Each structure stands twice: as C-alpha cells, then as structure tokens.
Amino acid sequence: MTFADRLGELLQRNLLRSIRDREAPRAHAADLSRIIIGGSELLNFASNDYLGLAGHSSLVKAAREAMETFGFGTGASRLLAGGTSLHSELEHDVAAFKGTEAALVFNSGYAANTGALPSLAGEGDTLFSDELNHASIIDGCRLSRAKTVIYRHGDADHLAELLESEGGQRSVVVTDTVFSMDGDIAPLGALHALCARYNARAGDRSVLLYIDDAHGTGVLGGGRGALSHFGIRPEPWILQMGTFSKALGSFGAFIATDKDTVQWLVNTARGFIFSTALPAAIVAASRAALRAVQEEPFRVAALWENRARLQRGLRAAGFDTLQSGTPILPLAMKTPEEAVAFAEQLRKHRIHAPAIRPPTVAKPRIRLTVTAGHTPADIDALLDALTAIRKGKG
Ligand SMILES: Cc1ncc(COP(=O)(O)O)c(C=O)c1O
C-alpha cells in the first residue's frame, strides 16, 4: 500500500488530519480567543492560551528587547554556551515560582518528557504510567530502558498494587496533572501519599513522582500549578515538569526539582544535551509571562469564571463533558464521523473547536478550551451554536 492509498483510507474513515494555518489577526495585538482561517474570523475554543498571555504586550516587549540584545538564533546547545544569562535567570524564576531548589529549561514539553524519563529510569528500574498520559510521556517511557507498567486511569489503588508487585531498584510514577484530552485532574493527593509512604520505608528502594503540569501551570493553584492546588510541599523526590507554551503564552518547558536531580538531567537528558538552546527572545517572553501570572491574578480568576459559565451552560443543554474539572471541556461524540460533522457545523457558526479522534483518544470528541480572553458573550455564542446543532438546526 502506498502512502497515498493509506491517506485515502484515513480520509474514508474520517481520521485524516490536516494543517490549518491561521492568518494575521486584524486587531493589533494577537488575541487567540479569535482567529482568522480562510479569510473568516472564528471564535477560537481550541487554544491552550488559558490566561490570554500569548499576545500580552509585556511578553512581546521582552522578546523584542532580548532579540535586540542577543540577536535571534543561539548557535549551539546550552552545554556549548548557546544559552544566555536570561536562560539561567528564567531557571531561577521557575524554581522560585514552583518552590524548588532548582529548575532546568527544555526546548519543549515533548523534549522534556522524552529527554528526562530515560535519564530518571534505566535498566532494572520501573516506570509507572497512567493509561491516559500524554503521547510525549508514552514516548519517553518507550525510549527508556526501564520496564513500563501502565496503571488504570487515575487509580491510586491499582498503582499501589503494581508498585508492590512490579517495583524495580528505582520506581518512577509518572502522571499528567490535568489530562489534556479529558480535562480531569489526577488524584495527586493519593499518588503523593503513596510515594511518600514508600520513601519513608527503610531500604534503598526509592520512588520518584514525575508530574506533567503542562495544563496545570497557570491554571490550578492560583496559577502556581497542581502541587499548590493540592497543598503538597515540593520534595526532592518530586519532579514538576511544566510548559511555557500553554497558559504562559510563550514556548518551551521546564523541570523544577532539587539541585542534584537537575544536575543529573544536565548530564544525561539527551533532549537537553543534543539540542540547540532556545532563542533569548523566547526565554525573555517566558520570564515576562511568569511575572504576569503573579502580578495579574485577575487572569486566573477570569479563566475560572469563564469555565464555570461554560460548564453550567453545557450541563443545562445536556452535554456530557466526561470527568472534566478544568477549562478543558470535552464533548463526547459517538463516532469520528459525528465528531468531524459537528466541528464542521461549528465552523458554520464561526466557531473553531476541533474534532479529536483515534488514535489521539480512544473515544471521539470535540475538545473545547475556554480561556480568560473569552467574553461572556463569546461563551453564550458557543452555547447557542451547540444547542442549535444538537437540535438539528445547525
Ligand atoms: C500534557 C502535555 N505534556 C506535554 C506536552 C508537550 O508540550 P509542548 O507542546 O511544549 O511540546 C503537551 C502539549 O502538547 C501536553 O498536553
């Protein structure tokens, strides 16, 4: 079968993915609550720009100033002095924000997960991974020489059983904090208690807890992330991975933890070592974003008010939003065909919310994300469109 044949088959099964670029915004500052595709402006319920920071003037200004100082490209990896003083300053800022001793910046969340997990667990070790973890975690586990054991989604009791029977020299429990396609929150209190119990036991079997806070950073715990949300103190055996690319409106990622673990990652994480340093402009924008989250708490408040309005409306209209507890609100669909047709109808109502289908998820859905940048009228327009489509008037 040729690639063209295979693509034809995907199209027939409503599983073909295609790129849709957006055009330059009409308003001066980029505001991702609206996007222009194919000449028409759509309300955007597909971005992870939860706090509306992607077009924030302080990020743009910081990036411009850094570019004027350092130029654009960095020319080499951090270990070959491609990084700038801004990179280390960002790591200090992240550590202070997350309450840890140290932090390390990665070029993306994908690079962080695929780079760090094989460094943390090797031959003779075991990775315990939630069955709905992000693809970058799955790939990180695959790249590691450790045994990977999958526990049932959000099931700390199942994890406890498996830790007992399958634990290696070192065990690493890995979980998304907010699951990116379902919007539910991991039971971090129970996972933390379990790991803490293990680590308090005599003997040298240690358990690390690696949390992917890509959708929790800037969203949960007043913006500080999942540990704050659960009132959990950072410990040397907890690694907090987070991205600058979602609520922080910038690009790249970080892992915040204790100094020794950071130094271990500097020396062993291939996604860090063998990749050119992020441009200073991006690093400066990430620093500005961390400041904005802390200095403009009204953004987190607006995000959650908008989330409450949308969730209330969806519930009243009878939509099934699965177990979501966050601004990611999935609408369950029966088939990929139904999901694709629904997204197409939403587009006719000038709303962008994509169909998410297998193999990204087992069950097809429309994935809605609401942000601080939406107005109450935007949310009502979405609810009206959803209701009209549901009633067959779409
Ligand atoms: C849970 C989770 N982890 C990691 C990533 C990857 O982050 P990045 O987009 O910075 O590569 C994403 C985003 O796609 C994500 O949703």
Side-chain angles (χ1 to χ4, degrees):
M1 235 193 192
T2 65
F3 289 137
D5 291 338
R6 291 192 192 180
L7 288 168
E9 196 184 87
L10 286 177
L11 178 64
Q12 226 175 16
R13 293 165 57 206
N14 283 294
L15 295 177
L16 188 71
R17 296 163 156 136
S18 55
I19 295 173
R20 279 201 147 102
D21 286 334
R22 60 196 166 88
E23 290 148 38
R26 290 189 191 123
H28 190 60
D31 166 13
L32 292 181
S33 65
R34 281 152 181 76
I35 49 172
I36 300 178
I37 299 178
S40 51
E41 186 173 272
L42 308 172
L43 276 176
N44 186 13
F45 285 95
S47 101
N48 301 312
D49 181 29
Y50 299 111
L51 300 179
L53 288 177
H56 193 291
S57 58
S58 74
L59 272 70
V60 175
K61 182 167 175 278
R64 189 178 293 131
E65 284 171 3
M67 198 156 50
E68 278 162 8
T69 307
F70 287 102
F72 194 72
T74 53
S77 69
R78 288 285 292 291
L79 289 173
L80 299 182
T84 66
S85 48
L86 291 175
H87 289 71
S88 293
E89 285 162 18
L90 175 59
E91 286 163 349
H92 279 115
D93 294 349
V94 168
F97 186 63
K98 291 288 186 179
T100 58
E101 264 182 18
L104 184 65
V105 168
F106 285 79
N107 290 0
S108 69
Y110 191 89
N113 286 340
T114 53
L117 292 172
S119 294
L120 298 171
E123 225 163 313
D125 301 329
T126 313
L127 285 159
F128 294 88
S129 179
D130 186 289
E131 67 178 322
L132 291 191
N133 274 341
H134 189 260
S136 53
I137 293 179
I138 295 171
D139 292 356
C141 293
R142 284 180 183 154
L143 282 173
S144 161
R145 288 167 197 263
K147 177 166 71 173
T148 299
V149 175
I150 309 294
Y151 62 92
R152 285 193 296 271
H153 178 51
D155 190 339
D157 293 336
H158 189 215
L159 173 63
E161 277 169 35
L162 292 171
L163 264 173
E164 211 42 62
S165 61
E166 309 278 348
Q169 297 162 47
R170 174 185 292 124
S171 298
V172 184
V173 173
V174 195
T175 184
D176 284 13
T177 57
V178 174
F179 290 87
S180 57
M181 293 297 145
D182 289 56
D184 58 333
I185 302 174
L188 267 195
L191 300 181
H192 172 263
L194 187 57
C195 296
R197 223 169 31 244
Y198 257 86
N199 286 328
R201 271 193 205 170
D204 60 1
R205 276 173 67 182
S206 60
V207 181
L208 299 179
L209 178 60
Y210 182 102
I211 61 171
D212 176 335
D213 211 15
H215 295 273
T217 299
V219 172
L220 297 178
R224 282 185 194 272
L227 284 197
S228 289
H229 175 81
F230 282 92
I232 296 171
R233 223 183 35 237
E235 315 248 14
W237 46 268
I238 301 178
L239 292 95
Q240 303 178 63
M241 175 271 184
T243 55
F244 297 111
S245 51
K246 297 181 171 62
L248 296 173
S250 179
F251 191 79
F254 60 83
I255 293 178
T257 184
D258 77 314
K259 273 188 191 141
D260 289 347
T261 312
V262 163
Q263 283 314 307
W264 178 250
L265 293 174
V266 166
N267 281 275
T268 59
R270 296 167 71 83
F272 171 79
I273 298 169
F274 297 107
S275 200
T276 302
L278 281 178
I282 290 173
V283 174
S286 297
R287 293 194 73 201
L290 283 177
R291 273 196 301 276
V293 173
Q294 294 167 84
E295 288 169 7
E296 300 175 10
F298 63 84
R299 291 178 183 275
V300 179
L303 170 66
W304 283 95
E305 273 167 33
N306 284 345
R307 191 263 172 199
R309 187 182 188 91
L310 181 55
Q311 169 75 345
R312 254 196 326 271
L314 290 172
R315 215 176 262 156
F319 281 96
D320 174 8
T321 56
L322 308 175
Q323 300 301 313
S324 169
T326 66
I328 300 169
L329 288 152
L331 305 180
M333 298 279 141
K334 291 196 183 67
T335 61
E337 192 183 0
E338 185 191 2
V340 168
F342 206 101
E344 199 48 55
Q345 283 181 303
L346 279 171
R347 207 162 298 124
K348 287 186 190 145
H349 286 263
R350 295 185 168 266
I351 284 166
H352 178 59
I356 311 285
R357 298 156 286 169
T360 304
V361 289
K363 292 182 189 149
R365 68 202 57 190
I366 299 289
R367 177 182 183 266
L368 299 173
T369 47
V370 68
T371 73
H374 291 119
T375 64
D378 295 341
I379 295 166
D380 293 347
L382 169 64
L383 288 167
D384 288 347
L386 291 171
T387 309
I389 296 168
R390 212 356 112 74
K391 285 187 181 153
K393 294 180 194 157

